[in-house]
Amino acid sequence: MALRLPSKVLKHILSFIDSNEDRNSVSLVCKSWFETERKTRKRVFVGNCYAVTPAAVARRFPAMRSLTLKGKPHFADYNLVPDGWGGYACPWIESMAAKSPYLEEIRLKRMVVTDDCLERIAASFKNFKVLVLTSCEGFSTDGIAAIASTCRNLRVLELRECIVEDLGGDWLSYFPETSTSLVSLDFSCLDSEVKISDLERLVSRSPNLKSLKLNPAVTLDGLVSILRRAPQLTELGTGSFAAELKPEAFTKLSKAFSNCKQLQSLSGLWDVLPEYLPALYSVCPGLTSLNLSYATVRMPDLVELLRRCSKLQKLWVMDLIEDKGLEAVASYCKELRELRVFPSEPDLDATNIPVTEQGLVYVSKGCRKLESVLYFCVQFTNAALITIARKRPNLKCFRLCVIEPFAPDYKTNEPLDKGFKAIAEGCKDLRRLSVSGLLSDKAFKYIGKHAKKVRMLSIAFAGDSDLMLHHLLSGCESLKKLEIRDCPFGDTALLENAAKLETMRSLWMSSCFVSFGACKLLSQKMPRLNVEVIDEHPPKTRPESSPVERIYIYRTVAGPRMDTPEFVWTLHKNPEIGVSKLAIK
Amino acid sequence: MELDLGLSLSPHTNSSKLGFDFDLNKHCAIDGSTASCLDSENLHFEATFRLNNEEGCYVQKPSVFALNGQPNEEDEDPLESESSTVYDEEENSQVVGWPPVKSCMIKYRSYHHRHSRNHHHCPYHHHGRRITAVMNNRMATVESVGSSSTTSSRSSMYVKVKMDGVAIARKVDIKLFNSYESLTDSLITMFTQYEDCEREDTNYAFTFQGKEGDWLIPGDVPWRIFAESVHRISIIRDRPCAYTRLLF
């Protein structure tokens, strides 16, 4: 056959292709391309740990060096997934230990990781370099100690927002006594104190350390002493920022920061007292990322800080910034790409509004590079959404959380349909969208029609009828993840669009109107979907037509899972309810 | 993406291809006058939906649209009710996971609530502007305070001010000022007033002593930190005035 690329040449070409989406496309061309691609893929990403078996992954990608896995559905972050649902890392680690001993990097998100698991990682992968656990749980500081002591080539150890059984700060002393190869260490989610002397010595013998995120137990004094030993840091998460207001302490802190000439990212700042903020002024001009979401700093102080951050690209802040503060951000932070504004009080109401829609409008007008927004506020208007869409057609991620459920446009009392229509139509590159406020059928018709590139869609407290879900499932071509809570969507739309579900990673629906009968039907007809009903009460105890609490549906080539807890009902587990059809791998 | 499932479900297909056990068309007797949807591609869907409800072969809407997943006994159609009745009957019931903020953030918010109350009453918010008048009256020898380390509000904080060449030190209430400038201006005014010096032709160098004993230059630290911890102030002039020469 003419024009057949020798595999060596193909291999060389593929070595330039990093994106897994591209590599997936390459694998579909023909068998030989599939073979060459799979043998050269080093970074493997599995978006749903139940979509495929660990053995299958290990078999397909013998050259795997980096594995990223995600477990629980996203809404687990907001306590909507009961404990014990699943997402266990162990079977994966076991499998990789046996088949991919050259694995160097493991990144897990929303998974249950045990100490045994961590010890297994430490023992099995000789060249282990990177461990990043995001929103994980199930392990203690003993497991961390095992990693620290055994993985001699460890470069990255990051515990991001994990729930860890904290048995004390000893784990820090388990790093090897000789110099370490640590580049990044993040223990910001741990509660207990670490010995400052341990930390100081670790930092001193880690010449490559670039990123360090401390936990709140580290005091300002501790921070100063660390900064003196690591002025080369590019990313810093401070500890607690509260202390006695002594001029000497302030001067020391200020000097320590001014020596960190390469600092680009700053976070932590728990309990920050406004009086200490000026100590940060020297690093502000170089900052590209600032996370103030734990800093209850109020207005004039915030502006004083932010107006010095002309290179800022990412800003996470609480709504204490107020519209005024956002106006200032719009004029000083011209490089801003990502803005997140979090609520300072869980129960905001109309009498207590720190930020309004105007704040986001300011930033949309002033920051030309803005592409990612997460904004919490009490109420919104269509006019504001229309302006935002017009000014920022380059938005890629737009998540608006109008805290008041079903809140209409507070000026016109209409639903926010027109506003979200403008967003869907205007922002052609939108990848991620979260909607809220009062929304009717129409809004979803527009979204279905225009949001062609949206991959992830989150909906809460919206809707009139099943038509809305139908619009979304039949319209949004690129939809991969759909999560819905408290909407009157039900069986019809689901069953009508069953095929769509196989083109998506997952669908979550909670407190909607989906019946067990429909789930059963779907399960029978779509063997390559796992349809999980998450409900306290056994399906037998209710009529088939009554709604279930939550459903989680995902495509899989691994067949039904075997580790479901008692509150998860699947057709496989309960064959007496219907015909069970096991998928053949 | 077309799926070869043998089902080929697509929203635009006719119902005959649905492939489910129930053929919706069998039940279908679409009454054109009841179909309110204008869009023809949705006509079939809407008719189906309405039909199924009429036929009763699909899900009954639950009695109450319960947010926490617990079905309620009442027979009210929640979708017609006001948004205020969305919540459960009990006033304090919170909706699980709403607003969608991660638990690690909520953990710290409550920490802030418990521990940051006192920060809301910091003295620097209440600095008065009535500088000169009060100063002229307040020469009482109130205890100079410098030992308190909390940010609780205090009504006054007197600090000894010594100008070189002047025998008698003065005391000023730091709480009356809100910036270094206002403080230094007033101090100069005070001393020149009482010491009969020329204000314009001297340079004044201010230093202050904090709790730890170090002497610092004003401006080295932000005003608020200074105001909480200053113990003593010293003023040095580079040109002594006539009156003080007389003292030596």
mmCIF file with all atom_site columns, all heavy atoms in Angstrom, chain A residues 271 293-294 343 403 467 485-486 495 545, chain B residues 45 58-59 65 67 96 98 109 111-112:
data_model
loop_
_atom_site.group_PDB
_atom_site.id
_atom_site.type_symbol
_atom_site.label_atom_id
_atom_site.label_alt_id
_atom_site.label_comp_id
_atom_site.label_asym_id
_atom_site.label_entity_id
_atom_site.label_seq_id
_atom_site.pdbx_PDB_ins_code
_atom_site.Cartn_x
_atom_site.Cartn_y
_atom_site.Cartn_z
_atom_site.occupancy
_atom_site.B_iso_or_equiv
_atom_site.pdbx_formal_charge
_atom_site.auth_seq_id
_atom_site.auth_comp_id
_atom_site.auth_asym_id
_atom_site.auth_atom_id
_atom_site.pdbx_PDB_model_num
ATOM 1   N N   . ASP A 1 271 ? -7.812  34.882 58.149 1.00 0.00 ? 271 ASP A N   1
ATOM 2   C CA  . ASP A 1 271 ? -7.932  35.871 59.218 1.00 0.00 ? 271 ASP A CA  1
ATOM 3   C C   . ASP A 1 271 ? -7.121  37.125 58.990 1.00 0.00 ? 271 ASP A C   1
ATOM 4   O O   . ASP A 1 271 ? -6.704  37.754 59.944 1.00 0.00 ? 271 ASP A O   1
ATOM 5   C CB  . ASP A 1 271 ? -7.427  35.287 60.564 1.00 0.00 ? 271 ASP A CB  1
ATOM 6   C CG  . ASP A 1 271 ? -7.917  33.882 60.783 1.00 0.00 ? 271 ASP A CG  1
ATOM 7   O OD1 . ASP A 1 271 ? -9.037  33.589 60.379 1.00 0.00 ? 271 ASP A OD1 1
ATOM 8   O OD2 . ASP A 1 271 ? -7.159  33.090 61.354 1.00 0.00 ? 271 ASP A OD2 1
ATOM 9   N N   . SER A 1 293 ? -10.212 34.448 48.924 1.00 0.00 ? 293 SER A N   1
ATOM 10  C CA  . SER A 1 293 ? -11.535 33.942 49.296 1.00 0.00 ? 293 SER A CA  1
ATOM 11  C C   . SER A 1 293 ? -11.648 33.557 50.760 1.00 0.00 ? 293 SER A C   1
ATOM 12  O O   . SER A 1 293 ? -12.719 33.239 51.235 1.00 0.00 ? 293 SER A O   1
ATOM 13  C CB  . SER A 1 293 ? -11.964 32.805 48.380 1.00 0.00 ? 293 SER A CB  1
ATOM 14  O OG  . SER A 1 293 ? -10.947 31.875 48.207 1.00 0.00 ? 293 SER A OG  1
ATOM 15  N N   . TYR A 1 294 ? -10.531 33.561 51.472 1.00 0.00 ? 294 TYR A N   1
ATOM 16  C CA  . TYR A 1 294 ? -10.603 33.338 52.922 1.00 0.00 ? 294 TYR A CA  1
ATOM 17  C C   . TYR A 1 294 ? -10.306 34.612 53.695 1.00 0.00 ? 294 TYR A C   1
ATOM 18  O O   . TYR A 1 294 ? -10.188 34.590 54.922 1.00 0.00 ? 294 TYR A O   1
ATOM 19  C CB  . TYR A 1 294 ? -9.600  32.268 53.350 1.00 0.00 ? 294 TYR A CB  1
ATOM 20  C CG  . TYR A 1 294 ? -9.939  30.910 52.804 1.00 0.00 ? 294 TYR A CG  1
ATOM 21  C CD1 . TYR A 1 294 ? -9.170  30.335 51.800 1.00 0.00 ? 294 TYR A CD1 1
ATOM 22  C CD2 . TYR A 1 294 ? -11.037 30.214 53.267 1.00 0.00 ? 294 TYR A CD2 1
ATOM 23  C CE1 . TYR A 1 294 ? -9.489  29.095 51.280 1.00 0.00 ? 294 TYR A CE1 1
ATOM 24  C CE2 . TYR A 1 294 ? -11.365 28.965 52.760 1.00 0.00 ? 294 TYR A CE2 1
ATOM 25  C CZ  . TYR A 1 294 ? -10.589 28.420 51.774 1.00 0.00 ? 294 TYR A CZ  1
ATOM 26  O OH  . TYR A 1 294 ? -10.910 27.198 51.256 1.00 0.00 ? 294 TYR A OH  1
ATOM 27  N N   . PRO A 1 343 ? -19.833 34.277 48.184 1.00 0.00 ? 343 PRO A N   1
ATOM 28  C CA  . PRO A 1 343 ? -20.681 34.932 49.170 1.00 0.00 ? 343 PRO A CA  1
ATOM 29  C C   . PRO A 1 343 ? -20.035 34.911 50.546 1.00 0.00 ? 343 PRO A C   1
ATOM 30  O O   . PRO A 1 343 ? -19.486 33.900 50.968 1.00 0.00 ? 343 PRO A O   1
ATOM 31  C CB  . PRO A 1 343 ? -21.950 34.087 49.168 1.00 0.00 ? 343 PRO A CB  1
ATOM 32  C CG  . PRO A 1 343 ? -21.513 32.738 48.727 1.00 0.00 ? 343 PRO A CG  1
ATOM 33  C CD  . PRO A 1 343 ? -20.311 32.919 47.855 1.00 0.00 ? 343 PRO A CD  1
ATOM 34  N N   . ILE A 1 403 ? -28.425 33.705 44.259 1.00 0.00 ? 403 ILE A N   1
ATOM 35  C CA  . ILE A 1 403 ? -28.623 32.932 45.478 1.00 0.00 ? 403 ILE A CA  1
ATOM 36  C C   . ILE A 1 403 ? -30.095 32.702 45.794 1.00 0.00 ? 403 ILE A C   1
ATOM 37  O O   . ILE A 1 403 ? -30.480 31.655 46.297 1.00 0.00 ? 403 ILE A O   1
ATOM 38  C CB  . ILE A 1 403 ? -27.905 33.612 46.661 1.00 0.00 ? 403 ILE A CB  1
ATOM 39  C CG1 . ILE A 1 403 ? -26.414 33.661 46.345 1.00 0.00 ? 403 ILE A CG1 1
ATOM 40  C CG2 . ILE A 1 403 ? -28.142 32.868 47.955 1.00 0.00 ? 403 ILE A CG2 1
ATOM 41  C CD1 . ILE A 1 403 ? -25.585 34.308 47.405 1.00 0.00 ? 403 ILE A CD1 1
ATOM 42  N N   . LEU A 1 467 ? -39.905 19.808 28.839 1.00 0.00 ? 467 LEU A N   1
ATOM 43  C CA  . LEU A 1 467 ? -39.476 20.391 27.567 1.00 0.00 ? 467 LEU A CA  1
ATOM 44  C C   . LEU A 1 467 ? -38.079 20.999 27.706 1.00 0.00 ? 467 LEU A C   1
ATOM 45  O O   . LEU A 1 467 ? -37.263 20.959 26.789 1.00 0.00 ? 467 LEU A O   1
ATOM 46  C CB  . LEU A 1 467 ? -40.466 21.489 27.173 1.00 0.00 ? 467 LEU A CB  1
ATOM 47  C CG  . LEU A 1 467 ? -40.735 21.722 25.704 1.00 0.00 ? 467 LEU A CG  1
ATOM 48  C CD1 . LEU A 1 467 ? -41.009 20.426 24.981 1.00 0.00 ? 467 LEU A CD1 1
ATOM 49  C CD2 . LEU A 1 467 ? -41.907 22.671 25.555 1.00 0.00 ? 467 LEU A CD2 1
ATOM 50  N N   . ARG A 1 485 ? -30.417 20.066 39.630 1.00 0.00 ? 485 ARG A N   1
ATOM 51  C CA  . ARG A 1 485 ? -31.023 19.821 40.924 1.00 0.00 ? 485 ARG A CA  1
ATOM 52  C C   . ARG A 1 485 ? -32.301 20.631 41.063 1.00 0.00 ? 485 ARG A C   1
ATOM 53  O O   . ARG A 1 485 ? -32.387 21.764 40.576 1.00 0.00 ? 485 ARG A O   1
ATOM 54  C CB  . ARG A 1 485 ? -30.049 20.139 42.056 1.00 0.00 ? 485 ARG A CB  1
ATOM 55  C CG  . ARG A 1 485 ? -29.626 21.588 42.119 1.00 0.00 ? 485 ARG A CG  1
ATOM 56  C CD  . ARG A 1 485 ? -29.002 21.926 43.460 1.00 0.00 ? 485 ARG A CD  1
ATOM 57  N NE  . ARG A 1 485 ? -29.963 21.829 44.529 1.00 0.00 ? 485 ARG A NE  1
ATOM 58  C CZ  . ARG A 1 485 ? -29.660 21.955 45.805 1.00 0.00 ? 485 ARG A CZ  1
ATOM 59  N NH1 . ARG A 1 485 ? -28.406 22.156 46.156 1.00 0.00 ? 485 ARG A NH1 1
ATOM 60  N NH2 . ARG A 1 485 ? -30.590 21.876 46.742 1.00 0.00 ? 485 ARG A NH2 1
ATOM 61  N N   . ASP A 1 486 ? -33.270 20.017 41.702 1.00 0.00 ? 486 ASP A N   1
ATOM 62  C CA  . ASP A 1 486 ? -34.507 20.728 42.016 1.00 0.00 ? 486 ASP A CA  1
ATOM 63  C C   . ASP A 1 486 ? -35.169 21.373 40.808 1.00 0.00 ? 486 ASP A C   1
ATOM 64  O O   . ASP A 1 486 ? -35.504 22.562 40.822 1.00 0.00 ? 486 ASP A O   1
ATOM 65  C CB  . ASP A 1 486 ? -34.224 21.789 43.100 1.00 0.00 ? 486 ASP A CB  1
ATOM 66  C CG  . ASP A 1 486 ? -33.789 21.140 44.394 1.00 0.00 ? 486 ASP A CG  1
ATOM 67  O OD1 . ASP A 1 486 ? -34.671 20.653 45.114 1.00 0.00 ? 486 ASP A OD1 1
ATOM 68  O OD2 . ASP A 1 486 ? -32.566 21.071 44.656 1.00 0.00 ? 486 ASP A OD2 1
ATOM 69  N N   . LEU A 1 495 ? -36.065 9.675  28.557 1.00 0.00 ? 495 LEU A N   1
ATOM 70  C CA  . LEU A 1 495 ? -36.194 8.509  27.684 1.00 0.00 ? 495 LEU A CA  1
ATOM 71  C C   . LEU A 1 495 ? -36.138 8.884  26.222 1.00 0.00 ? 495 LEU A C   1
ATOM 72  O O   . LEU A 1 495 ? -35.577 8.165  25.398 1.00 0.00 ? 495 LEU A O   1
ATOM 73  C CB  . LEU A 1 495 ? -37.494 7.771  28.010 1.00 0.00 ? 495 LEU A CB  1
ATOM 74  C CG  . LEU A 1 495 ? -37.478 7.128  29.404 1.00 0.00 ? 495 LEU A CG  1
ATOM 75  C CD1 . LEU A 1 495 ? -38.856 6.643  29.797 1.00 0.00 ? 495 LEU A CD1 1
ATOM 76  C CD2 . LEU A 1 495 ? -36.479 5.986  29.438 1.00 0.00 ? 495 LEU A CD2 1
ATOM 77  N N   . SER A 1 545 ? -43.766 4.627  39.737 1.00 0.00 ? 545 SER A N   1
ATOM 78  C CA  . SER A 1 545 ? -43.893 5.952  39.138 1.00 0.00 ? 545 SER A CA  1
ATOM 79  C C   . SER A 1 545 ? -43.525 7.076  40.100 1.00 0.00 ? 545 SER A C   1
ATOM 80  O O   . SER A 1 545 ? -43.515 8.230  39.720 1.00 0.00 ? 545 SER A O   1
ATOM 81  C CB  . SER A 1 545 ? -45.319 6.154  38.644 1.00 0.00 ? 545 SER A CB  1
ATOM 82  O OG  . SER A 1 545 ? -46.195 5.930  39.732 1.00 0.00 ? 545 SER A OG  1
ATOM 83  N N   . PHE B 2 45  ? -43.135 16.103 20.669 1.00 0.00 ? 45  PHE B N   1
ATOM 84  C CA  . PHE B 2 45  ? -42.658 15.915 22.022 1.00 0.00 ? 45  PHE B CA  1
ATOM 85  C C   . PHE B 2 45  ? -43.677 16.396 23.030 1.00 0.00 ? 45  PHE B C   1
ATOM 86  O O   . PHE B 2 45  ? -44.016 15.710 23.973 1.00 0.00 ? 45  PHE B O   1
ATOM 87  C CB  . PHE B 2 45  ? -41.328 16.645 22.213 1.00 0.00 ? 45  PHE B CB  1
ATOM 88  C CG  . PHE B 2 45  ? -40.827 16.477 23.597 1.00 0.00 ? 45  PHE B CG  1
ATOM 89  C CD1 . PHE B 2 45  ? -40.149 15.322 23.961 1.00 0.00 ? 45  PHE B CD1 1
ATOM 90  C CD2 . PHE B 2 45  ? -41.065 17.447 24.559 1.00 0.00 ? 45  PHE B CD2 1
ATOM 91  C CE1 . PHE B 2 45  ? -39.705 15.137 25.240 1.00 0.00 ? 45  PHE B CE1 1
ATOM 92  C CE2 . PHE B 2 45  ? -40.613 17.257 25.852 1.00 0.00 ? 45  PHE B CE2 1
ATOM 93  C CZ  . PHE B 2 45  ? -39.934 16.106 26.190 1.00 0.00 ? 45  PHE B CZ  1
ATOM 94  N N   . TYR B 2 58  ? -47.388 7.661  32.882 1.00 0.00 ? 58  TYR B N   1
ATOM 95  C CA  . TYR B 2 58  ? -46.067 8.137  33.264 1.00 0.00 ? 58  TYR B CA  1
ATOM 96  C C   . TYR B 2 58  ? -46.061 8.651  34.681 1.00 0.00 ? 58  TYR B C   1
ATOM 97  O O   . TYR B 2 58  ? -46.996 8.454  35.413 1.00 0.00 ? 58  TYR B O   1
ATOM 98  C CB  . TYR B 2 58  ? -45.607 9.226  32.286 1.00 0.00 ? 58  TYR B CB  1
ATOM 99  C CG  . TYR B 2 58  ? -44.469 8.720  31.455 1.00 0.00 ? 58  TYR B CG  1
ATOM 100 C CD1 . TYR B 2 58  ? -44.493 8.828  30.070 1.00 0.00 ? 58  TYR B CD1 1
ATOM 101 C CD2 . TYR B 2 58  ? -43.374 8.111  32.050 1.00 0.00 ? 58  TYR B CD2 1
ATOM 102 C CE1 . TYR B 2 58  ? -43.460 8.354  29.309 1.00 0.00 ? 58  TYR B CE1 1
ATOM 103 C CE2 . TYR B 2 58  ? -42.351 7.633  31.278 1.00 0.00 ? 58  TYR B CE2 1
ATOM 104 C CZ  . TYR B 2 58  ? -42.402 7.755  29.918 1.00 0.00 ? 58  TYR B CZ  1
ATOM 105 O OH  . TYR B 2 58  ? -41.378 7.282  29.173 1.00 0.00 ? 58  TYR B OH  1
ATOM 106 N N   . VAL B 2 59  ? -45.048 9.288  35.015 1.00 0.00 ? 59  VAL B N   1
ATOM 107 C CA  . VAL B 2 59  ? -44.883 9.711  36.394 1.00 0.00 ? 59  VAL B CA  1
ATOM 108 C C   . VAL B 2 59  ? -45.918 10.738 36.773 1.00 0.00 ? 59  VAL B C   1
ATOM 109 O O   . VAL B 2 59  ? -46.191 11.680 36.041 1.00 0.00 ? 59  VAL B O   1
ATOM 110 C CB  . VAL B 2 59  ? -43.462 10.275 36.608 1.00 0.00 ? 59  VAL B CB  1
ATOM 111 C CG1 . VAL B 2 59  ? -43.219 11.491 35.730 1.00 0.00 ? 59  VAL B CG1 1
ATOM 112 C CG2 . VAL B 2 59  ? -43.258 10.660 38.036 1.00 0.00 ? 59  VAL B CG2 1
ATOM 113 N N   . PHE B 2 65  ? -43.131 19.830 45.583 1.00 0.00 ? 65  PHE B N   1
ATOM 114 C CA  . PHE B 2 65  ? -41.783 19.913 45.026 1.00 0.00 ? 65  PHE B CA  1
ATOM 115 C C   . PHE B 2 65  ? -40.841 20.135 46.199 1.00 0.00 ? 65  PHE B C   1
ATOM 116 O O   . PHE B 2 65  ? -40.588 21.245 46.621 1.00 0.00 ? 65  PHE B O   1
ATOM 117 C CB  . PHE B 2 65  ? -41.771 21.084 44.057 1.00 0.00 ? 65  PHE B CB  1
ATOM 118 C CG  . PHE B 2 65  ? -40.450 21.363 43.448 1.00 0.00 ? 65  PHE B CG  1
ATOM 119 C CD1 . PHE B 2 65  ? -39.721 20.347 42.886 1.00 0.00 ? 65  PHE B CD1 1
ATOM 120 C CD2 . PHE B 2 65  ? -39.934 22.645 43.416 1.00 0.00 ? 65  PHE B CD2 1
ATOM 121 C CE1 . PHE B 2 65  ? -38.514 20.605 42.288 1.00 0.00 ? 65  PHE B CE1 1
ATOM 122 C CE2 . PHE B 2 65  ? -38.723 22.904 42.826 1.00 0.00 ? 65  PHE B CE2 1
ATOM 123 C CZ  . PHE B 2 65  ? -38.018 21.895 42.253 1.00 0.00 ? 65  PHE B CZ  1
ATOM 124 N N   . LEU B 2 67  ? -37.608 20.290 48.318 1.00 0.00 ? 67  LEU B N   1
ATOM 125 C CA  . LEU B 2 67  ? -36.221 20.600 48.014 1.00 0.00 ? 67  LEU B CA  1
ATOM 126 C C   . LEU B 2 67  ? -35.244 19.656 48.653 1.00 0.00 ? 67  LEU B C   1
ATOM 127 O O   . LEU B 2 67  ? -34.155 19.451 48.171 1.00 0.00 ? 67  LEU B O   1
ATOM 128 C CB  . LEU B 2 67  ? -35.893 22.017 48.463 1.00 0.00 ? 67  LEU B CB  1
ATOM 129 C CG  . LEU B 2 67  ? -36.609 23.051 47.637 1.00 0.00 ? 67  LEU B CG  1
ATOM 130 C CD1 . LEU B 2 67  ? -36.317 24.411 48.186 1.00 0.00 ? 67  LEU B CD1 1
ATOM 131 C CD2 . LEU B 2 67  ? -36.143 22.972 46.210 1.00 0.00 ? 67  LEU B CD2 1
ATOM 132 N N   . VAL B 2 96  ? -30.187 21.851 51.260 1.00 0.00 ? 96  VAL B N   1
ATOM 133 C CA  . VAL B 2 96  ? -28.884 21.199 51.243 1.00 0.00 ? 96  VAL B CA  1
ATOM 134 C C   . VAL B 2 96  ? -28.074 21.679 50.048 1.00 0.00 ? 96  VAL B C   1
ATOM 135 O O   . VAL B 2 96  ? -28.564 21.713 48.928 1.00 0.00 ? 96  VAL B O   1
ATOM 136 C CB  . VAL B 2 96  ? -29.055 19.668 51.158 1.00 0.00 ? 96  VAL B CB  1
ATOM 137 C CG1 . VAL B 2 96  ? -27.698 19.000 51.008 1.00 0.00 ? 96  VAL B CG1 1
ATOM 138 C CG2 . VAL B 2 96  ? -29.761 19.160 52.399 1.00 0.00 ? 96  VAL B CG2 1
ATOM 139 N N   . TRP B 2 98  ? -26.984 24.524 49.089 1.00 0.00 ? 98  TRP B N   1
ATOM 140 C CA  . TRP B 2 98  ? -27.322 25.777 48.396 1.00 0.00 ? 98  TRP B CA  1
ATOM 141 C C   . TRP B 2 98  ? -27.094 26.948 49.340 1.00 0.00 ? 98  TRP B C   1
ATOM 142 O O   . TRP B 2 98  ? -27.534 26.888 50.459 1.00 0.00 ? 98  TRP B O   1
ATOM 143 C CB  . TRP B 2 98  ? -28.777 25.752 47.921 1.00 0.00 ? 98  TRP B CB  1
ATOM 144 C CG  . TRP B 2 98  ? -29.060 26.893 47.027 1.00 0.00 ? 98  TRP B CG  1
ATOM 145 C CD1 . TRP B 2 98  ? -29.629 28.094 47.358 1.00 0.00 ? 98  TRP B CD1 1
ATOM 146 C CD2 . TRP B 2 98  ? -28.718 26.997 45.627 1.00 0.00 ? 98  TRP B CD2 1
ATOM 147 N NE1 . TRP B 2 98  ? -29.671 28.923 46.263 1.00 0.00 ? 98  TRP B NE1 1
ATOM 148 C CE2 . TRP B 2 98  ? -29.113 28.271 45.185 1.00 0.00 ? 98  TRP B CE2 1
ATOM 149 C CE3 . TRP B 2 98  ? -28.108 26.130 44.722 1.00 0.00 ? 98  TRP B CE3 1
ATOM 150 C CZ2 . TRP B 2 98  ? -28.927 28.702 43.868 1.00 0.00 ? 98  TRP B CZ2 1
ATOM 151 C CZ3 . TRP B 2 98  ? -27.931 26.549 43.423 1.00 0.00 ? 98  TRP B CZ3 1
ATOM 152 C CH2 . TRP B 2 98  ? -28.342 27.830 43.014 1.00 0.00 ? 98  TRP B CH2 1
ATOM 153 N N   . ARG B 2 109 ? -15.801 30.190 56.961 1.00 0.00 ? 109 ARG B N   1
ATOM 154 C CA  . ARG B 2 109 ? -16.709 31.314 57.186 1.00 0.00 ? 109 ARG B CA  1
ATOM 155 C C   . ARG B 2 109 ? -17.170 31.300 58.631 1.00 0.00 ? 109 ARG B C   1
ATOM 156 O O   . ARG B 2 109 ? -17.223 32.322 59.288 1.00 0.00 ? 109 ARG B O   1
ATOM 157 C CB  . ARG B 2 109 ? -17.934 31.206 56.290 1.00 0.00 ? 109 ARG B CB  1
ATOM 158 C CG  . ARG B 2 109 ? -17.708 31.422 54.855 1.00 0.00 ? 109 ARG B CG  1
ATOM 159 C CD  . ARG B 2 109 ? -17.077 32.764 54.560 1.00 0.00 ? 109 ARG B CD  1
ATOM 160 N NE  . ARG B 2 109 ? -16.048 32.640 53.583 1.00 0.00 ? 109 ARG B NE  1
ATOM 161 C CZ  . ARG B 2 109 ? -16.251 32.472 52.295 1.00 0.00 ? 109 ARG B CZ  1
ATOM 162 N NH1 . ARG B 2 109 ? -17.468 32.447 51.829 1.00 0.00 ? 109 ARG B NH1 1
ATOM 163 N NH2 . ARG B 2 109 ? -15.238 32.341 51.475 1.00 0.00 ? 109 ARG B NH2 1
ATOM 164 N N   . TYR B 2 111 ? -15.777 30.059 61.114 1.00 0.00 ? 111 TYR B N   1
ATOM 165 C CA  . TYR B 2 111 ? -14.650 30.418 61.966 1.00 0.00 ? 111 TYR B CA  1
ATOM 166 C C   . TYR B 2 111 ? -14.536 31.936 62.041 1.00 0.00 ? 111 TYR B C   1
ATOM 167 O O   . TYR B 2 111 ? -14.383 32.520 63.102 1.00 0.00 ? 111 TYR B O   1
ATOM 168 C CB  . TYR B 2 111 ? -13.378 29.783 61.401 1.00 0.00 ? 111 TYR B CB  1
ATOM 169 C CG  . TYR B 2 111 ? -12.114 30.175 62.128 1.00 0.00 ? 111 TYR B CG  1
ATOM 170 C CD1 . TYR B 2 111 ? -11.743 29.543 63.292 1.00 0.00 ? 111 TYR B CD1 1
ATOM 171 C CD2 . TYR B 2 111 ? -11.286 31.178 61.643 1.00 0.00 ? 111 TYR B CD2 1
ATOM 172 C CE1 . TYR B 2 111 ? -10.587 29.891 63.961 1.00 0.00 ? 111 TYR B CE1 1
ATOM 173 C CE2 . TYR B 2 111 ? -10.120 31.532 62.304 1.00 0.00 ? 111 TYR B CE2 1
ATOM 174 C CZ  . TYR B 2 111 ? -9.769  30.885 63.455 1.00 0.00 ? 111 TYR B CZ  1
ATOM 175 O OH  . TYR B 2 111 ? -8.630  31.234 64.100 1.00 0.00 ? 111 TYR B OH  1
ATOM 176 N N   . HIS B 2 112 ? -14.667 32.562 60.882 1.00 0.00 ? 112 HIS B N   1
ATOM 177 C CA  . HIS B 2 112 ? -14.586 34.022 60.843 1.00 0.00 ? 112 HIS B CA  1
ATOM 178 C C   . HIS B 2 112 ? -15.676 34.662 61.678 1.00 0.00 ? 112 HIS B C   1
ATOM 179 O O   . HIS B 2 112 ? -15.442 35.601 62.403 1.00 0.00 ? 112 HIS B O   1
ATOM 180 C CB  . HIS B 2 112 ? -14.724 34.507 59.402 1.00 0.00 ? 112 HIS B CB  1
ATOM 181 C CG  . HIS B 2 112 ? -13.434 34.446 58.654 1.00 0.00 ? 112 HIS B CG  1
ATOM 182 N ND1 . HIS B 2 112 ? -12.317 35.118 59.057 1.00 0.00 ? 112 HIS B ND1 1
ATOM 183 C CD2 . HIS B 2 112 ? -13.096 33.794 57.537 1.00 0.00 ? 112 HIS B CD2 1
ATOM 184 C CE1 . HIS B 2 112 ? -11.341 34.865 58.215 1.00 0.00 ? 112 HIS B CE1 1
ATOM 185 N NE2 . HIS B 2 112 ? -11.770 34.075 57.279 1.00 0.00 ? 112 HIS B NE2 1
#
